[in-house]
Amino acid sequence: MVHRLTLLALALSGPALADDFQTYIVGGEDATGDWPWAARVALDLGNGFENSCSGSLLNREWVLTAAHCFFNEDGEAMDVSTITVHIGSGPKGTNPTRGADEYRLHSGYDNEANPIGNDIALVHLSTAIEVSSLPSLVDDAHFDELLARDAMGRDEAVTAIGWGVTDPDNPAVSDTLQQVALDYVPFSTCNQSWNGFLTPVQSSVICAAELNPQDNETENTCLGDSGGPLILGNDPAPYIVGLTSFGSADNCQAGRPTVFNRVLNMMDFVEENAPLVDVTIESGPERYYGALGGQTTVPATVTNGSLRNTARNVMIRANTDDTSADASLQWSGCDDGGLLAGDDQCTLSSLTAGGHSSGQVEVSHNGVTETDATLALSVSSDEDEYRIKNNQAPVTVVFSNRPDLTVSAEQTAGNLDSDGQGIATVVVRVSNLSTVNAASNATVELTLPAGTTARGDDTVQCDTLCWVGPMDSGASVEFTLTLTSGTPESSTLTLTTTDQNGGDFPQDNNRHELAVAYSGVKAVSDTGSGDTSDTGSSGGSGGGGGGGSFGVGWLLALAGLALRIQPVRRNNRSR
């Protein structure tokens, strides 16, 4: 995948802009068919040349891309009549095309004086287009979670997508959409590698790079990738966190981290220029409980998180995936003045920017078979969304006469005694998540590593079975487990909880695996935290690599690049 390198001259005494810029993806992989909302924005320069950038379709009419794409080599703004937008991720030439009747640039973007901040633009299609899925602009919660990750969590946490050049020696855009997994790079590290050049635009940028590529292959964005999205993970309908803006020179090699426009700080621009809103629906805990044949109440709140736009005819819906559980909305403020029992939807006439409306859903069970049904809460409005991903809130509703037990464990110590035996201390926590059913005789079964024995503390007796005893609904019990190993090697302890008098329901969270290590023996990372089912990776597809932190050698290489005052180009021209 080629990554867009905006070519800026960087001097230690202060940055100066070069005459041109460039951007593309290299070292990635084909993404044909994966991203139906992907866009290629072509601007006709005449004489067979074009500016080629990448972008993302936000709804049927608006495409998000980079502001610098709309200027020719002389710094002149391009006429809207020169724009052709290709929507989809099929091979080049197979995707539907649309003309444009307008494009809008961020008011804070200045192509001559300040081309590295607020590098964002919206293109309005002359004819609307429907696609099978759409991305969402990242929200505060998911963006903050990315920023808070440790080095391992940052490794290949984001994916860049674009139509740019894949070979720096061949300035033709790719025939296939490209994608590459990159590591999120914290601003302080990124800014240091750019010699403080990014300080004035800190609030409008985010950085990424492949810090430890497989086989030393360059993985980056490049010419033609400008405006293409930087997304979280590899979800086909993802959160977009950035737009490709600029990077180091050196033929798109991995010198300094690539700089992307931070979309979270651009929501006001989006709402000011496109009639989009941010309506969300949320509930409380992930699980609600009722007795077999009983009823439970699930509270919910609908919010218009928009900064300036009103949402009209806000439709709230509730339904379950199990015929044994029936959902009924109880919501005030609906058009009919209220809801009758059995109604599963209602409409609010409007919800102003920042406004919210609260209600509840009564879920009733038919009393035949216990179930852990999924209650699907959803919301929509007459206006299109720029965070469509937040329009749904799945909630698990459990109807059963049994408790719902879960177990977790954390190692707090691991040493060798005078006889060379391994002594490890593990804190175990057992919880009954059910709010309606007690456990009469909770236990934790231990699957011990070879050559290992276990004992509990004064509160819970253990050998290969720990006897916890009765547990009220919503109760938790914590105890200490001491492991003794004649062969103190890193190994796995498995804990499984149940109620000896009838079991528990559901059983999707009652098993935990813990890697146990002793001092002087290489540890294995913890492999579970309650639910050991495969939940997939948060890393993006494409690229290889690993490593989530800068090594000393890499920092020295960056410092060398800075000292050499490498010019950076932002030349989107391709034939």
Side-chain angles (χ1 to χ4, degrees), residues 273-460:
N273 292 280
L276 303 176
V277 296
D278 176 25
V279 180
T280 64
I281 187 165
E282 296 178 311
S283 184
E286 295 181 355
R287 295 191 181 198
Y288 290 84
Y289 295 86
L292 204 66
Q295 186 180 66
T296 189
T297 300
V298 178
T301 299
V302 173
T303 302
N304 181 5
S306 305
L307 300 176
R308 59 171 69 221
N309 296 337
T310 295
R312 295 174 177 81
N313 292 323
V314 178
M315 177 71 74
I316 308 166
R317 298 179 180 87
N319 58 77
T320 68
D321 64 350
D322 192 318
T323 56
S324 69
D326 182 64
S328 173
L329 275 167
Q330 307 294 324
W331 214 283
S332 62
C334 294
D335 282 349
D336 60 1
L339 288 172
L340 300 176
D343 288 343
D344 59 5
Q345 67 181 45
C346 80
T347 302
L348 305 174
S349 59
S350 67
L351 202 57
T352 58
H356 60 86
S357 177
S358 296
Q360 62 187 33
V361 184
E362 298 292 345
V363 186
S364 303
H365 186 250
N366 64 12
V368 178
T369 305
E370 61 185 355
T371 182
D372 53 338
T374 298
L375 170 64
L377 301 174
S378 63
V379 65
S380 62
S381 72
D382 284 355
E383 285 71 35
D384 288 337
E385 305 271 337
Y386 59 81
R387 286 195 183 115
I388 195 170
K389 200 175 186 70
N390 292 355
N391 289 164
Q392 297 184 352
V395 177
T396 299
V397 182
V398 179
F399 289 102
S400 172
N401 289 336
R402 296 190 285 177
D404 181 11
L405 299 178
T406 184
V407 62
S408 61
E410 179 184 6
Q411 182 177 351
T412 56
N415 303 291
L416 301 180
D417 65 12
S418 58
D419 296 326
Q421 293 188 116
I423 308 296
T425 302
V426 176
V427 175
V428 180
R429 184 180 180 86
V430 181
S431 299
N432 180 10
L433 301 182
S434 175
T435 57
V436 296
N437 299 319
S440 60
N441 195 7
T443 59
V444 178
E445 181 182 1
L446 306 177
T447 303
L448 298 166
T452 301
T453 59
R455 61 180 174 84
D457 56 20
D458 293 338
T459 61
V460 175

Side-chain angles (χ1 to χ4, degrees), residues 36 47 77 125-126 136 172 181 220-221 225 235 248 271 276 289 321 323 344 373 392 410 413 441 466 469 478 516 536:
N47 299 320
L125 303 180
S126 56
S136 294
N220 211 339
T221 55
D225 290 327
D235 189 330
S248 176
E271 289 193 29
L276 303 176
Y289 295 86
D321 64 350
T323 56
D344 59 5
Q392 297 184 352
E410 179 184 6
N441 195 7
C466 300
E478 194 171 278
V516 179

Side-chain angles (χ1 to χ4, degrees), residues 152-169:
M152 182 175 294
R154 296 193 294 264
D155 182 33
E156 297 196 354
V158 289
T159 298
I161 299 168
W163 284 97
V165 176
T166 57
D167 179 359
D169 296 324

Side-chain angles (χ1 to χ4, degrees), residues 122-174:
L122 283 164
V123 181
H124 186 255
L125 303 180
S126 56
T127 306
I129 185 170
E130 299 281 353
V131 296
S132 58
S133 65
L134 289 168
S136 294
L137 303 185
V138 72
D139 56 17
D140 290 275
H142 289 85
F143 190 76
D144 289 345
E145 188 276 331
L146 174 65
L147 267 57
R149 293 187 188 186
D150 59 15
M152 182 175 294
R154 296 193 294 264
D155 182 33
E156 297 196 354
V158 289
T159 298
I161 299 168
W163 284 97
V165 176
T166 57
D167 179 359
D169 296 324
N170 179 12
V173 295
S174 175

